[in-house]
Amino acid sequence: MVLWLLGAALLARAAGFYLPGLAPVSFCEPGKDQVPDCKSTIDLFVNRLDSVESVLPYEYTAFDFCSMKTVKRPSENLGQVLFGERIEPSPYKFEFKKPAVCQKVCTKTYDTTNPSDKAKLDFLKKGMLLNYQHHWIVDNMPITWCYDVEDGQKFCNPGFPIGCYVTEAGHSKDACVVNTNFKERDAFYIFNHVDVTIHYHVVEHEQLGARLVSAKIEPKSYENPNDDSPDCSGEPKFLKNKYSGMFKIQYTYSVNFMEDKNIRWASRWDYILESMPHTNIQWFSIMNSLVIVLFLSGMVAMIMLRTLHKDIARYNQMDSVEDAQEEFGWKLVHGDVFRPPRKGMLLSVFLGSGTQIFIMTFVTLFFACLGFLSPANRGALMTCAVVLWVLLGTPAGYVAARLYKSFGGEKWKTNVLLTAFLCPGVVFADFFVMNLILWGEGSSAAMPFGTLVAILALWFCISVPLTFIGAYFGFKRTGIEHPVRTNQIPRQIPEQSFYTKAVPGIVMGGILPFGCIFIQLFFILNSIWSHQMYYMFGFLFLVFIILVITCSEATILLCYFHLCAEDYHWQWRSFLTSGFTAVYFLIYAIHYFFSKLQITGQASTFLYFGYTMIMALIFFLFTGAIGFFACFWFVTKIYSVVKVD
C-alpha cells in the first residue's frame, strides 16, 4: 500500500492533471455572469511549437512572442511532458459574442547591434525557415487553419506557421505560396496578425449558455506603420535576411463569433478528423491483413487436421520395436524437444519483459477504443502506457522466473535482477542520452529533472518491487511439466537444407507479420514525426489482434517444418522468428526517414534514430514473446497426444 501511495504522489508531482474541457463549458455574453457556471471570458492557451523539418519542439516563449510571464502555467500530465507539450496562458483573451477588429497585443522591438536582440531575431528567422507551427488551444480544442487542397477538399491543420521565407531566386517556401504579395526576395514574412472565427452552439434544453464547437484561424501579415492605432491593412510585414538596424513587430488579432446549429459539442472534433481522408486506406490495410491471416490459418489448419492427425494416428498404432525404428520426422526428437535452450537466462528475461509489454499494449489499446484516450484527453495515451508498464512488473517477474525454473536454471537472484533492470535499463539509457541532446538544444521536449527523478522513483519504488514479488511466486511454483521426458544425451541434428536452417527461417518468418502492419505503421509514424493527429484506435486494435494471430501462425508453421527436419532447437528460433518483424520495422523506419520526412540537422537525425531504436526494441520483445508462447503451446499440444514408450 505504501508503494502505491508513493507512486501516486510521485506521479502527481511529476505532472499535475490538466484536462480542461473534458466536461462541457458553457459561455455567456458579458453582463450575464449571474447564470451559474457560465463564463464570459474565453482564454486562449498556447502550446509548444514544432516543425516537420526538425524533431526539436520549442516552448512558445523561446521565439519571443507576446506572453504573460506573471500568470501561473497550468500543470500537465506525464504523457504531455514526455511528448514535449508545454501549455501556458496567452495574452489573447476574447469576450464571448463580442467581436474585435485589429486589436493590438504587443510590440516587439529588436536592435540588430544588440547581441541579445540579434540572437532573438535570428532564432525567429530560423523558426520561419524550418516552418515551425503554432499550436493554440481554446476550450481544450485546437485552433485550426483550414485551407483548400487537391480535388476541392479542405484540410484543417491543428497548427499554423509563424512565418515563411522567399528565397533569393524568388521561390516561395511553405506558407508563402498562399499570398501573391509575398514576392520580396531573400526575405522572411512574419504572420503577425490572426483572424480568429469561433463557432458556437446554443444549448436549448440542458442549461442556459452556449458551447464552443470550433475555432478557426487565418494567419496574415501586415506592416502597420502606426504603432498606437493599427488598422491591419496595407503591405505584408517582411524582414530582409541581411537587415541591420531597428526592427519592430506589432502583433494584432481580430475575432468574430458565428452560431452553428448543425454541430453539437460531442462531435466538435469531427471536422478536423474528417479532413484526414484515411478511412479507405485503413480498410484496405485491414483487408490486406485478413487475407494474410486466412492464408496462414489455412496452412496451420491443414497441418493440424491432416498431416499431424495422420502422423499421430500412425505413431500411436505402432506396437513393435521394428515399427518404432522406422519413425521419422518430428516424432524422432521427442526426447530432446524440451531440452533447456542455450542462454536460457536471457531468453526468460526477454519473455518476461515481452509479456509485460504485451499486456500493457493490449490494455492501452482497449481503453483507447473505449474513448478514454481520445485526442481531447491530451497526453493520456502515453500516461496510461507508462503507468501500466510500472504496475505490470508482477507478470514480468512471474513469467521470467517460471520459465527460467522450467529451463533448469538455479541463479534466481540474477534472473530477477535482469528482469527488473536489463530491458528497462537499455530503454532508459537510450532515452537519457536523447534527453541530454534535447537539453543541449534547449528544446521543450527535454524532460525536467524533477520529472526524470519521478520516473526513476516509479521504476525503482514500484516496478522493481512488483517484479520481485512476481518472481517470488514464479520460483515458488513447480517448473512446467512437459508431456515427454528429456533424454540425457542430446540427439545429433542431421544436416539441414537451406530452407530449414536457422537464419533463412528467421528472416522469412518476419515478412508476413510485417505485411499486416506496414500500412498502419505509416500512419503511426506520421502522427509521431509529421505531427498529424491519430485517432483511429479501432483500426489499430484490430491490426493488433491480426498481428498477434499472424505472428503465432507463422511461427507455428515454421516450427513444425523445423521439427520435421529433426531440429529440436525451437525455443530461441520461435522467439527470433516473430521478433525479426522488428528488424523489418527498423528498415521501414529508415526508408520512411529518407523518403517521407524533411528532417534536417544532426541533432534531429540522431534523435529520430535514437527514439526509433527504443520502439524497435519494444516491438522485438513484444512480437518475440508472442512467437515463443504460440510455439510452446503447439509443441506441448502435439507431443502430449503422442504415445511414447
PDB file of all heavy atoms in Angstrom, residues 285 288-289 292 510-524 540 543-544 546-548 550-551 581-582 584-585 588 619 622-623:
ATOM      1  N   SER A 285      -5.973  -1.724 -45.656  1.00  0.00           N
ATOM      2  CA  SER A 285      -4.970  -2.330 -44.785  1.00  0.00           C
ATOM      3  C   SER A 285      -5.552  -3.531 -44.047  1.00  0.00           C
ATOM      4  O   SER A 285      -4.911  -4.587 -43.946  1.00  0.00           O
ATOM      5  CB  SER A 285      -4.461  -1.289 -43.777  1.00  0.00           C
ATOM      6  OG  SER A 285      -3.686  -1.894 -42.770  1.00  0.00           O
ATOM      7  N   ASN A 288      -6.074  -6.409 -46.465  1.00  0.00           N
ATOM      8  CA  ASN A 288      -4.763  -6.992 -46.789  1.00  0.00           C
ATOM      9  C   ASN A 288      -4.288  -7.908 -45.663  1.00  0.00           C
ATOM     10  O   ASN A 288      -3.804  -9.019 -45.904  1.00  0.00           O
ATOM     11  CB  ASN A 288      -3.766  -5.856 -47.031  1.00  0.00           C
ATOM     12  CG  ASN A 288      -2.336  -6.362 -47.149  1.00  0.00           C
ATOM     13  OD1 ASN A 288      -2.011  -7.095 -48.057  1.00  0.00           O
ATOM     14  ND2 ASN A 288      -1.487  -5.961 -46.218  1.00  0.00           N
ATOM     15  N   SER A 289      -4.457  -7.440 -44.432  1.00  0.00           N
ATOM     16  CA  SER A 289      -4.025  -8.231 -43.281  1.00  0.00           C
ATOM     17  C   SER A 289      -4.878  -9.483 -43.119  1.00  0.00           C
ATOM     18  O   SER A 289      -4.361 -10.561 -42.791  1.00  0.00           O
ATOM     19  CB  SER A 289      -4.099  -7.376 -42.010  1.00  0.00           C
ATOM     20  OG  SER A 289      -3.312  -6.214 -42.138  1.00  0.00           O
ATOM     21  N   ILE A 292      -3.806 -12.286 -45.427  1.00  0.00           N
ATOM     22  CA  ILE A 292      -2.610 -12.969 -44.913  1.00  0.00           C
ATOM     23  C   ILE A 292      -2.989 -13.925 -43.783  1.00  0.00           C
ATOM     24  O   ILE A 292      -2.518 -15.069 -43.721  1.00  0.00           O
ATOM     25  CB  ILE A 292      -1.573 -11.936 -44.427  1.00  0.00           C
ATOM     26  CG1 ILE A 292      -1.060 -11.104 -45.608  1.00  0.00           C
ATOM     27  CG2 ILE A 292      -0.407 -12.620 -43.723  1.00  0.00           C
ATOM     28  CD1 ILE A 292      -0.125  -9.987 -45.215  1.00  0.00           C
ATOM     29  N   GLY A 510       9.493 -13.180 -40.359  1.00  0.00           N
ATOM     30  CA  GLY A 510       9.031 -11.834 -40.015  1.00  0.00           C
ATOM     31  C   GLY A 510       8.341 -11.098 -41.138  1.00  0.00           C
ATOM     32  O   GLY A 510       7.771 -10.020 -40.915  1.00  0.00           O
ATOM     33  N   ILE A 511       8.357 -11.674 -42.357  1.00  0.00           N
ATOM     34  CA  ILE A 511       7.802 -10.948 -43.510  1.00  0.00           C
ATOM     35  C   ILE A 511       6.287 -10.811 -43.411  1.00  0.00           C
ATOM     36  O   ILE A 511       5.727  -9.726 -43.582  1.00  0.00           O
ATOM     37  CB  ILE A 511       8.205 -11.656 -44.822  1.00  0.00           C
ATOM     38  CG1 ILE A 511       9.717 -11.559 -45.028  1.00  0.00           C
ATOM     39  CG2 ILE A 511       7.473 -11.040 -46.004  1.00  0.00           C
ATOM     40  CD1 ILE A 511      10.218 -12.302 -46.250  1.00  0.00           C
ATOM     41  N   LEU A 512       5.598 -11.920 -43.133  1.00  0.00           N
ATOM     42  CA  LEU A 512       4.136 -11.888 -43.121  1.00  0.00           C
ATOM     43  C   LEU A 512       3.581 -11.013 -41.992  1.00  0.00           C
ATOM     44  O   LEU A 512       2.655 -10.221 -42.220  1.00  0.00           O
ATOM     45  CB  LEU A 512       3.587 -13.311 -43.033  1.00  0.00           C
ATOM     46  CG  LEU A 512       3.795 -14.162 -44.292  1.00  0.00           C
ATOM     47  CD1 LEU A 512       3.283 -15.573 -44.085  1.00  0.00           C
ATOM     48  CD2 LEU A 512       3.111 -13.525 -45.492  1.00  0.00           C
ATOM     49  N   PRO A 513       4.082 -11.105 -40.749  1.00  0.00           N
ATOM     50  CA  PRO A 513       3.575 -10.172 -39.724  1.00  0.00           C
ATOM     51  C   PRO A 513       3.801  -8.707 -40.094  1.00  0.00           C
ATOM     52  O   PRO A 513       2.924  -7.868 -39.868  1.00  0.00           O
ATOM     53  CB  PRO A 513       4.371 -10.558 -38.471  1.00  0.00           C
ATOM     54  CG  PRO A 513       4.745 -11.973 -38.680  1.00  0.00           C
ATOM     55  CD  PRO A 513       4.979 -12.115 -40.154  1.00  0.00           C
ATOM     56  N   PHE A 514       4.948  -8.412 -40.679  1.00  0.00           N
ATOM     57  CA  PHE A 514       5.189  -7.026 -41.080  1.00  0.00           C
ATOM     58  C   PHE A 514       4.241  -6.611 -42.198  1.00  0.00           C
ATOM     59  O   PHE A 514       3.797  -5.458 -42.246  1.00  0.00           O
ATOM     60  CB  PHE A 514       6.643  -6.848 -41.539  1.00  0.00           C
ATOM     61  CG  PHE A 514       6.955  -5.458 -41.995  1.00  0.00           C
ATOM     62  CD1 PHE A 514       7.141  -4.442 -41.080  1.00  0.00           C
ATOM     63  CD2 PHE A 514       7.040  -5.150 -43.348  1.00  0.00           C
ATOM     64  CE1 PHE A 514       7.421  -3.141 -41.487  1.00  0.00           C
ATOM     65  CE2 PHE A 514       7.309  -3.866 -43.773  1.00  0.00           C
ATOM     66  CZ  PHE A 514       7.501  -2.859 -42.840  1.00  0.00           C
ATOM     67  N   GLY A 515       3.921  -7.527 -43.095  1.00  0.00           N
ATOM     68  CA  GLY A 515       2.968  -7.209 -44.156  1.00  0.00           C
ATOM     69  C   GLY A 515       1.598  -6.837 -43.637  1.00  0.00           C
ATOM     70  O   GLY A 515       0.840  -6.123 -44.307  1.00  0.00           O
ATOM     71  N   CYS A 516       1.253  -7.304 -42.436  1.00  0.00           N
ATOM     72  CA  CYS A 516      -0.045  -6.971 -41.842  1.00  0.00           C
ATOM     73  C   CYS A 516      -0.082  -5.563 -41.259  1.00  0.00           C
ATOM     74  O   CYS A 516      -1.158  -4.990 -41.096  1.00  0.00           O
ATOM     75  CB  CYS A 516      -0.390  -7.963 -40.737  1.00  0.00           C
ATOM     76  SG  CYS A 516      -0.692  -9.629 -41.316  1.00  0.00           S
ATOM     77  N   ILE A 517       1.068  -5.028 -40.917  1.00  0.00           N
ATOM     78  CA  ILE A 517       1.063  -3.785 -40.142  1.00  0.00           C
ATOM     79  C   ILE A 517       1.684  -2.597 -40.854  1.00  0.00           C
ATOM     80  O   ILE A 517       1.608  -1.472 -40.338  1.00  0.00           O
ATOM     81  CB  ILE A 517       1.825  -3.977 -38.804  1.00  0.00           C
ATOM     82  CG1 ILE A 517       3.317  -4.284 -39.073  1.00  0.00           C
ATOM     83  CG2 ILE A 517       1.195  -5.068 -37.969  1.00  0.00           C
ATOM     84  CD1 ILE A 517       4.190  -4.196 -37.863  1.00  0.00           C
ATOM     85  N   PHE A 518       2.296  -2.786 -42.021  1.00  0.00           N
ATOM     86  CA  PHE A 518       3.119  -1.692 -42.548  1.00  0.00           C
ATOM     87  C   PHE A 518       2.280  -0.473 -42.935  1.00  0.00           C
ATOM     88  O   PHE A 518       2.753   0.662 -42.829  1.00  0.00           O
ATOM     89  CB  PHE A 518       3.979  -2.177 -43.718  1.00  0.00           C
ATOM     90  CG  PHE A 518       3.258  -2.297 -45.031  1.00  0.00           C
ATOM     91  CD1 PHE A 518       3.294  -1.272 -45.957  1.00  0.00           C
ATOM     92  CD2 PHE A 518       2.547  -3.444 -45.335  1.00  0.00           C
ATOM     93  CE1 PHE A 518       2.635  -1.381 -47.164  1.00  0.00           C
ATOM     94  CE2 PHE A 518       1.893  -3.569 -46.542  1.00  0.00           C
ATOM     95  CZ  PHE A 518       1.927  -2.526 -47.456  1.00  0.00           C
ATOM     96  N   ILE A 519       1.021  -0.678 -43.365  1.00  0.00           N
ATOM     97  CA  ILE A 519       0.178   0.481 -43.692  1.00  0.00           C
ATOM     98  C   ILE A 519      -0.188   1.236 -42.424  1.00  0.00           C
ATOM     99  O   ILE A 519      -0.126   2.471 -42.361  1.00  0.00           O
ATOM    100  CB  ILE A 519      -1.079   0.031 -44.461  1.00  0.00           C
ATOM    101  CG1 ILE A 519      -0.680  -0.571 -45.808  1.00  0.00           C
ATOM    102  CG2 ILE A 519      -2.034   1.210 -44.667  1.00  0.00           C
ATOM    103  CD1 ILE A 519      -1.832  -1.098 -46.627  1.00  0.00           C
ATOM    104  N   GLN A 520      -0.571   0.494 -41.377  1.00  0.00           N
ATOM    105  CA  GLN A 520      -0.890   1.138 -40.106  1.00  0.00           C
ATOM    106  C   GLN A 520       0.349   1.814 -39.530  1.00  0.00           C
ATOM    107  O   GLN A 520       0.262   2.885 -38.907  1.00  0.00           O
ATOM    108  CB  GLN A 520      -1.417   0.088 -39.128  1.00  0.00           C
ATOM    109  CG  GLN A 520      -2.115   0.647 -37.914  1.00  0.00           C
ATOM    110  CD  GLN A 520      -3.419   1.318 -38.251  1.00  0.00           C
ATOM    111  OE1 GLN A 520      -3.654   2.447 -37.842  1.00  0.00           O
ATOM    112  NE2 GLN A 520      -4.279   0.655 -39.000  1.00  0.00           N
ATOM    113  N   LEU A 521       1.505   1.209 -39.763  1.00  0.00           N
ATOM    114  CA  LEU A 521       2.758   1.778 -39.274  1.00  0.00           C
ATOM    115  C   LEU A 521       3.030   3.137 -39.908  1.00  0.00           C
ATOM    116  O   LEU A 521       3.561   4.045 -39.254  1.00  0.00           O
ATOM    117  CB  LEU A 521       3.900   0.804 -39.577  1.00  0.00           C
ATOM    118  CG  LEU A 521       5.271   1.124 -38.988  1.00  0.00           C
ATOM    119  CD1 LEU A 521       5.203   1.137 -37.472  1.00  0.00           C
ATOM    120  CD2 LEU A 521       6.287   0.092 -39.458  1.00  0.00           C
ATOM    121  N   PHE A 522       2.646   3.299 -41.161  1.00  0.00           N
ATOM    122  CA  PHE A 522       2.836   4.577 -41.843  1.00  0.00           C
ATOM    123  C   PHE A 522       2.077   5.693 -41.133  1.00  0.00           C
ATOM    124  O   PHE A 522       2.607   6.787 -40.914  1.00  0.00           O
ATOM    125  CB  PHE A 522       2.373   4.450 -43.293  1.00  0.00           C
ATOM    126  CG  PHE A 522       2.315   5.760 -44.037  1.00  0.00           C
ATOM    127  CD1 PHE A 522       3.471   6.375 -44.494  1.00  0.00           C
ATOM    128  CD2 PHE A 522       1.099   6.403 -44.261  1.00  0.00           C
ATOM    129  CE1 PHE A 522       3.421   7.585 -45.168  1.00  0.00           C
ATOM    130  CE2 PHE A 522       1.043   7.610 -44.928  1.00  0.00           C
ATOM    131  CZ  PHE A 522       2.204   8.206 -45.393  1.00  0.00           C
ATOM    132  N   PHE A 523       0.835   5.434 -40.731  1.00  0.00           N
ATOM    133  CA  PHE A 523       0.039   6.455 -40.054  1.00  0.00           C
ATOM    134  C   PHE A 523       0.564   6.743 -38.644  1.00  0.00           C
ATOM    135  O   PHE A 523       0.524   7.880 -38.178  1.00  0.00           O
ATOM    136  CB  PHE A 523      -1.433   6.023 -39.985  1.00  0.00           C
ATOM    137  CG  PHE A 523      -2.098   5.960 -41.332  1.00  0.00           C
ATOM    138  CD1 PHE A 523      -2.517   4.759 -41.867  1.00  0.00           C
ATOM    139  CD2 PHE A 523      -2.295   7.109 -42.079  1.00  0.00           C
ATOM    140  CE1 PHE A 523      -3.116   4.697 -43.113  1.00  0.00           C
ATOM    141  CE2 PHE A 523      -2.889   7.059 -43.326  1.00  0.00           C
ATOM    142  CZ  PHE A 523      -3.299   5.849 -43.843  1.00  0.00           C
ATOM    143  N   ILE A 524       1.068   5.706 -37.992  1.00  0.00           N
ATOM    144  CA  ILE A 524       1.632   5.917 -36.654  1.00  0.00           C
ATOM    145  C   ILE A 524       2.888   6.781 -36.735  1.00  0.00           C
ATOM    146  O   ILE A 524       3.071   7.714 -35.941  1.00  0.00           O
ATOM    147  CB  ILE A 524       1.935   4.559 -35.990  1.00  0.00           C
ATOM    148  CG1 ILE A 524       0.629   3.805 -35.721  1.00  0.00           C
ATOM    149  CG2 ILE A 524       2.710   4.756 -34.693  1.00  0.00           C
ATOM    150  CD1 ILE A 524       0.844   2.396 -35.218  1.00  0.00           C
ATOM    151  N   LEU A 540      -6.494   0.317 -35.202  1.00  0.00           N
ATOM    152  CA  LEU A 540      -5.222  -0.094 -34.607  1.00  0.00           C
ATOM    153  C   LEU A 540      -5.394  -1.330 -33.731  1.00  0.00           C
ATOM    154  O   LEU A 540      -4.555  -2.241 -33.749  1.00  0.00           O
ATOM    155  CB  LEU A 540      -4.642   1.063 -33.788  1.00  0.00           C
ATOM    156  CG  LEU A 540      -3.252   0.835 -33.193  1.00  0.00           C
ATOM    157  CD1 LEU A 540      -2.244   0.553 -34.287  1.00  0.00           C
ATOM    158  CD2 LEU A 540      -2.821   2.048 -32.378  1.00  0.00           C
ATOM    159  N   VAL A 543      -5.797  -4.324 -36.004  1.00  0.00           N
ATOM    160  CA  VAL A 543      -4.499  -4.704 -36.570  1.00  0.00           C
ATOM    161  C   VAL A 543      -3.629  -5.371 -35.507  1.00  0.00           C
ATOM    162  O   VAL A 543      -2.871  -6.307 -35.806  1.00  0.00           O
ATOM    163  CB  VAL A 543      -3.797  -3.462 -37.166  1.00  0.00           C
ATOM    164  CG1 VAL A 543      -2.354  -3.775 -37.543  1.00  0.00           C
ATOM    165  CG2 VAL A 543      -4.546  -2.971 -38.393  1.00  0.00           C
ATOM    166  N   PHE A 544      -3.740  -4.922 -34.274  1.00  0.00           N
ATOM    167  CA  PHE A 544      -3.001  -5.545 -33.169  1.00  0.00           C
ATOM    168  C   PHE A 544      -3.402  -7.012 -33.012  1.00  0.00           C
ATOM    169  O   PHE A 544      -2.537  -7.899 -32.885  1.00  0.00           O
ATOM    170  CB  PHE A 544      -3.278  -4.773 -31.878  1.00  0.00           C
ATOM    171  CG  PHE A 544      -2.787  -5.446 -30.629  1.00  0.00           C
ATOM    172  CD1 PHE A 544      -1.456  -5.373 -30.267  1.00  0.00           C
ATOM    173  CD2 PHE A 544      -3.653  -6.164 -29.813  1.00  0.00           C
ATOM    174  CE1 PHE A 544      -0.996  -5.994 -29.119  1.00  0.00           C
ATOM    175  CE2 PHE A 544      -3.214  -6.789 -28.670  1.00  0.00           C
ATOM    176  CZ  PHE A 544      -1.882  -6.705 -28.322  1.00  0.00           C
ATOM    177  N   ILE A 546      -4.754  -8.904 -35.322  1.00  0.00           N
ATOM    178  CA  ILE A 546      -4.286  -9.608 -36.524  1.00  0.00           C
ATOM    179  C   ILE A 546      -2.788  -9.888 -36.431  1.00  0.00           C
ATOM    180  O   ILE A 546      -2.310 -10.958 -36.831  1.00  0.00           O
ATOM    181  CB  ILE A 546      -4.623  -8.779 -37.779  1.00  0.00           C
ATOM    182  CG1 ILE A 546      -6.141  -8.742 -38.004  1.00  0.00           C
ATOM    183  CG2 ILE A 546      -3.932  -9.338 -39.010  1.00  0.00           C
ATOM    184  CD1 ILE A 546      -6.576  -7.823 -39.124  1.00  0.00           C
ATOM    185  N   LEU A 547      -2.026  -8.931 -35.893  1.00  0.00           N
ATOM    186  CA  LEU A 547      -0.584  -9.126 -35.730  1.00  0.00           C
ATOM    187  C   LEU A 547      -0.292 -10.289 -34.789  1.00  0.00           C
ATOM    188  O   LEU A 547       0.593 -11.115 -35.062  1.00  0.00           O
ATOM    189  CB  LEU A 547       0.060  -7.843 -35.196  1.00  0.00           C
ATOM    190  CG  LEU A 547       1.551  -7.932 -34.844  1.00  0.00           C
ATOM    191  CD1 LEU A 547       2.374  -8.200 -36.096  1.00  0.00           C
ATOM    192  CD2 LEU A 547       2.021  -6.657 -34.150  1.00  0.00           C
ATOM    193  N   VAL A 548      -1.031 -10.379 -33.690  1.00  0.00           N
ATOM    194  CA  VAL A 548      -0.837 -11.478 -32.741  1.00  0.00           C
ATOM    195  C   VAL A 548      -1.118 -12.818 -33.414  1.00  0.00           C
ATOM    196  O   VAL A 548      -0.342 -13.781 -33.282  1.00  0.00           O
ATOM    197  CB  VAL A 548      -1.752 -11.277 -31.506  1.00  0.00           C
ATOM    198  CG1 VAL A 548      -1.696 -12.506 -30.597  1.00  0.00           C
ATOM    199  CG2 VAL A 548      -1.340 -10.036 -30.725  1.00  0.00           C
ATOM    200  N   THR A 550      -1.093 -13.483 -36.668  1.00  0.00           N
ATOM    201  CA  THR A 550      -0.129 -13.746 -37.743  1.00  0.00           C
ATOM    202  C   THR A 550       1.217 -14.206 -37.181  1.00  0.00           C
ATOM    203  O   THR A 550       1.823 -15.154 -37.698  1.00  0.00           O
ATOM    204  CB  THR A 550       0.073 -12.481 -38.590  1.00  0.00           C
ATOM    205  OG1 THR A 550      -1.195 -11.972 -38.991  1.00  0.00           O
ATOM    206  CG2 THR A 550       0.888 -12.782 -39.826  1.00  0.00           C
ATOM    207  N   CYS A 551       1.701 -13.532 -36.152  1.00  0.00           N
ATOM    208  CA  CYS A 551       2.965 -13.950 -35.525  1.00  0.00           C
ATOM    209  C   CYS A 551       2.856 -15.384 -35.007  1.00  0.00           C
ATOM    210  O   CYS A 551       3.779 -16.193 -35.186  1.00  0.00           O
ATOM    211  CB  CYS A 551       3.317 -13.005 -34.377  1.00  0.00           C
ATOM    212  SG  CYS A 551       3.985 -11.411 -34.873  1.00  0.00           S
ATOM    213  N   THR A 581      10.339  -9.407 -37.020  1.00  0.00           N
ATOM    214  CA  THR A 581       9.459  -8.354 -37.549  1.00  0.00           C
ATOM    215  C   THR A 581       9.974  -6.979 -37.156  1.00  0.00           C
ATOM    216  O   THR A 581       9.805  -6.007 -37.905  1.00  0.00           O
ATOM    217  CB  THR A 581       8.029  -8.545 -37.012  1.00  0.00           C
ATOM    218  OG1 THR A 581       7.629  -9.896 -37.200  1.00  0.00           O
ATOM    219  CG2 THR A 581       7.044  -7.634 -37.725  1.00  0.00           C
ATOM    220  N   ALA A 582      10.616  -6.881 -35.996  1.00  0.00           N
ATOM    221  CA  ALA A 582      11.163  -5.597 -35.549  1.00  0.00           C
ATOM    222  C   ALA A 582      12.290  -5.120 -36.458  1.00  0.00           C
ATOM    223  O   ALA A 582      12.495  -3.909 -36.614  1.00  0.00           O
ATOM    224  CB  ALA A 582      11.663  -5.719 -34.106  1.00  0.00           C
ATOM    225  N   TYR A 584      12.378  -5.628 -39.732  1.00  0.00           N
ATOM    226  CA  TYR A 584      11.678  -5.033 -40.875  1.00  0.00           C
ATOM    227  C   TYR A 584      11.085  -3.677 -40.500  1.00  0.00           C
ATOM    228  O   TYR A 584      11.058  -2.754 -41.322  1.00  0.00           O
ATOM    229  CB  TYR A 584      10.578  -5.973 -41.369  1.00  0.00           C
ATOM    230  CG  TYR A 584      11.115  -7.220 -42.015  1.00  0.00           C
ATOM    231  CD1 TYR A 584      10.988  -8.462 -41.401  1.00  0.00           C
ATOM    232  CD2 TYR A 584      11.757  -7.164 -43.247  1.00  0.00           C
ATOM    233  CE1 TYR A 584      11.485  -9.606 -41.989  1.00  0.00           C
ATOM    234  CE2 TYR A 584      12.262  -8.305 -43.847  1.00  0.00           C
ATOM    235  CZ  TYR A 584      12.130  -9.523 -43.211  1.00  0.00           C
ATOM    236  OH  TYR A 584      12.632 -10.656 -43.805  1.00  0.00           O
ATOM    237  N   PHE A 585      10.620  -3.576 -39.271  1.00  0.00           N
ATOM    238  CA  PHE A 585      10.140  -2.278 -38.775  1.00  0.00           C
ATOM    239  C   PHE A 585      11.262  -1.239 -38.815  1.00  0.00           C
ATOM    240  O   PHE A 585      11.053  -0.097 -39.231  1.00  0.00           O
ATOM    241  CB  PHE A 585       9.601  -2.438 -37.345  1.00  0.00           C
ATOM    242  CG  PHE A 585       9.429  -1.150 -36.593  1.00  0.00           C
ATOM    243  CD1 PHE A 585       8.322  -0.352 -36.799  1.00  0.00           C
ATOM    244  CD2 PHE A 585      10.386  -0.725 -35.678  1.00  0.00           C
ATOM    245  CE1 PHE A 585       8.161   0.846 -36.119  1.00  0.00           C
ATOM    246  CE2 PHE A 585      10.237   0.460 -34.989  1.00  0.00           C
ATOM    247  CZ  PHE A 585       9.112   1.254 -35.212  1.00  0.00           C
ATOM    248  N   TYR A 588      11.982  -0.241 -42.384  1.00  0.00           N
ATOM    249  CA  TYR A 588      10.924   0.639 -42.887  1.00  0.00           C
ATOM    250  C   TYR A 588      11.072   2.050 -42.299  1.00  0.00           C
ATOM    251  O   TYR A 588      10.844   3.046 -42.996  1.00  0.00           O
ATOM    252  CB  TYR A 588       9.555   0.074 -42.528  1.00  0.00           C
ATOM    253  CG  TYR A 588       8.408   0.918 -43.046  1.00  0.00           C
ATOM    254  CD1 TYR A 588       7.993   0.825 -44.372  1.00  0.00           C
ATOM    255  CD2 TYR A 588       7.754   1.819 -42.215  1.00  0.00           C
ATOM    256  CE1 TYR A 588       6.955   1.602 -44.850  1.00  0.00           C
ATOM    257  CE2 TYR A 588       6.719   2.605 -42.688  1.00  0.00           C
ATOM    258  CZ  TYR A 588       6.319   2.487 -44.004  1.00  0.00           C
ATOM    259  OH  TYR A 588       5.297   3.271 -44.476  1.00  0.00           O
ATOM    260  N   PHE A 619       9.197  -3.430 -29.776  1.00  0.00           N
ATOM    261  CA  PHE A 619       8.475  -4.253 -30.745  1.00  0.00           C
ATOM    262  C   PHE A 619       9.100  -5.647 -30.839  1.00  0.00           C
ATOM    263  O   PHE A 619       8.391  -6.648 -30.992  1.00  0.00           O
ATOM    264  CB  PHE A 619       8.498  -3.560 -32.106  1.00  0.00           C
ATOM    265  CG  PHE A 619       7.463  -4.057 -33.063  1.00  0.00           C
ATOM    266  CD1 PHE A 619       6.117  -3.825 -32.832  1.00  0.00           C
ATOM    267  CD2 PHE A 619       7.829  -4.762 -34.191  1.00  0.00           C
ATOM    268  CE1 PHE A 619       5.158  -4.296 -33.713  1.00  0.00           C
ATOM    269  CE2 PHE A 619       6.886  -5.223 -35.080  1.00  0.00           C
ATOM    270  CZ  PHE A 619       5.541  -4.994 -34.835  1.00  0.00           C
ATOM    271  N   PHE A 622       8.017  -7.656 -27.760  1.00  0.00           N
ATOM    272  CA  PHE A 622       6.577  -7.908 -27.829  1.00  0.00           C
ATOM    273  C   PHE A 622       6.259  -9.026 -28.822  1.00  0.00           C
ATOM    274  O   PHE A 622       5.582 -10.010 -28.498  1.00  0.00           O
ATOM    275  CB  PHE A 622       5.894  -6.581 -28.192  1.00  0.00           C
ATOM    276  CG  PHE A 622       4.537  -6.712 -28.805  1.00  0.00           C
ATOM    277  CD1 PHE A 622       3.476  -7.170 -28.052  1.00  0.00           C
ATOM    278  CD2 PHE A 622       4.305  -6.353 -30.122  1.00  0.00           C
ATOM    279  CE1 PHE A 622       2.215  -7.291 -28.606  1.00  0.00           C
ATOM    280  CE2 PHE A 622       3.059  -6.458 -30.679  1.00  0.00           C
ATOM    281  CZ  PHE A 622       2.003  -6.942 -29.921  1.00  0.00           C
ATOM    282  N   THR A 623       6.759  -8.911 -30.046  1.00  0.00           N
ATOM    283  CA  THR A 623       6.474  -9.929 -31.064  1.00  0.00           C
ATOM    284  C   THR A 623       7.203 -11.233 -30.768  1.00  0.00           C
ATOM    285  O   THR A 623       6.672 -12.323 -31.033  1.00  0.00           O
ATOM    286  CB  THR A 623       6.863  -9.425 -32.462  1.00  0.00           C
ATOM    287  OG1 THR A 623       8.223  -8.952 -32.444  1.00  0.00           O
ATOM    288  CG2 THR A 623       5.955  -8.288 -32.896  1.00  0.00           C
TER     289      THR A 623
END
